[in-house]
Amino acid sequence: MMKILSDQEQDIEIAASALRKGKLVAIPTETVYGLGADAFNEDALAAVFAAKRRPSFDPLIVHIAELAALDRLVDYDALSPQDAELLRRASEAFWPGPLTMILPKLPSVPDLATSGLPSVAVRFPAHPVARRIIALSTGAIAAPSANPFGYLSPTSAQHVAAQLGDRIDYIVDGGPCPVGVESTVLDLASDHPRILRPGGLDRAALEAVLGPLEVLDRSSERPNAPGQMKSHYAPRAPLYLYEHGALDPAALQPGQALLFWSREDEQEFWQRASSLNPADWLTRVLTQTDSQIEAAAALFAVLHELDLLAPAGIHAEKAPSTGLGEAINDRLYKARAAARVLAEDSAKKLI
Ligand code: TXA
Ligand code: MG
């Protein structure tokens, strides 16, 4: 039976002790909730893949609570001097925080954590509850986002309970996640540094410290490129995406939902769509005030909510593409692709 724990010290101790014993504990982080397990316990790692129904070729992120923990994970000899310098600068500037770095791994890091790759993903989260749980447990906690594979990431304990509640031991409720999109993933283990996933740390901030970075092209996504599978973050309804400010009133069908970037965009839309009655449509906005931080924090909660309300389709406009907009649009693309995959699957079942 799964139990929801509070974020108070006695409950954090229960969570940490469960992790030490190889149990699965969902923990709050500043980005999304993670499904935690001791990174050095192979049975616990296998249980993470089973609970998420995640293919074992998609590796996990190992979470740490102090820089010294890198010594148990990273093969510094395999890191070029340039990459060692990038690691030093990025960890100084952005850790703890929403940045994951891919680094050459020590042989002692279980292959299950890295799906057999020679590299390990490491993140030092900023969330005080996550840090306390990691520090009190084993200091190295593998944690993918706490959603079943292919579904929306959770930004509240309730999202985790609804999606994985029957398959895990504990959820630590730390309230809503303040950042709301997953960490930015920076690869320092291949021949040149590149961003594998845009996320909660925006590219401009990273580039200000590290210099210009390549961003892995979304069009080159293959199932064997970790983390790049398109079938992620699915709401069940088909998602139709528009450029920012270009949501098309003529495309709407009864029973469909509208998702706007800001309150201002919504108002501007109803002026253009003067033949439609706003009261007839299920409508959400990501931000009241054109704030990227507010929009990122709201994104998954709004998609979860729309998923529960089960509209016939969702018409969404993209975020303005600067700053965190890059990460938000990446999640919207993935939601659209995932909705297509689900639609194809259910079409196949009908035959
Ligand atoms: O914000 C986050 O990063 C959240 C919280 C819980 O920390 N975690 C998260 O984990 O998003 P997950 O498993 O949903 O995404 C991890 C991503 C995956 O896309 C995975 O393929 C990639 O990181 N990844 C992990 N190890 C890798 C490696 N060695 N090489 C390349 N990509 C890797
Ligand atoms: Mg995930």
Side-chain angles (χ1 to χ4, degrees), residues 169-318:
D169 300 302
Y170 293 102
I171 301 172
V172 179
D173 187 350
C177 300
V179 174
V181 290
E182 298 89 338
S183 60
T184 300
V185 178
L186 174 67
D187 184 5
L188 295 181
S190 50
D191 49 2
H192 57 284
R194 42 187 199 150
I195 294 175
L196 298 185
R197 176 176 77 182
L201 176 63
D202 79 64
R203 175 147 63 103
L206 204 49
E207 289 185 330
V209 171
L210 302 184
L213 294 165
E214 184 193 325
V215 181
L216 193 74
D217 180 6
R218 222 179 275 110
S219 63
S220 68
E221 287 171 22
R222 292 157 289 135
N224 59 354
Q228 295 303 315
M229 277 167 294
K230 275 186 172 168
S231 63
H232 251 92
Y233 313 100
R236 279 162 301 177
L239 185 77
Y240 308 98
L241 267 186
Y242 300 82
E243 292 306 320
H244 180 237
L247 211 148
D248 179 10
L252 303 189
Q253 303 283 332
Q256 294 179 333
L258 307 179
L259 176 57
F260 294 99
W261 170 253
S262 67
R263 187 62 68 198
E264 201 182 331
D265 291 324
E266 185 195 351
Q267 283 158 358
E268 185 270 340
F269 173 84
W270 294 122
Q271 275 163 22
R272 275 193 290 130
S274 51
S275 65
L276 301 178
N277 178 0
D280 292 341
W281 301 89
L282 173 60
T283 303
R284 291 290 181 275
V285 302
L286 288 180
T287 157
Q288 300 295 330
T289 57
D290 198 22
S291 150
Q292 293 195 322
I293 293 173
E294 185 192 340
L299 177 69
F300 284 119
V302 168
L303 290 175
H304 275 283
E305 190 197 355
L306 287 175
D307 197 33
L308 285 176
L309 295 168
I314 303 169
H315 294 265
E317 63 172 351
K318 291 188 211 165

Side-chain angles (χ1 to χ4, degrees), residues 1-6 10-28 33-37 133 146 157 160-161 164-173:
M1 264 300 276
M2 182 273 295
K3 188 165 187 285
I4 297 192
L5 298 170
S6 78
Q10 325 77 291
D11 276 5
I12 285 178
E13 277 165 20
I14 294 171
S17 142
L19 285 165
R20 282 197 302 272
K21 291 180 192 137
K23 302 221 180 270
L24 302 190
V25 180
I27 62 173
Y33 276 71
L35 178 56
I133 293 171
V160 183
L164 286 180
D166 54 345
R167 301 184 213 160
I168 64 180
D169 300 302
Y170 293 102
I171 301 172
V172 179
D173 187 350

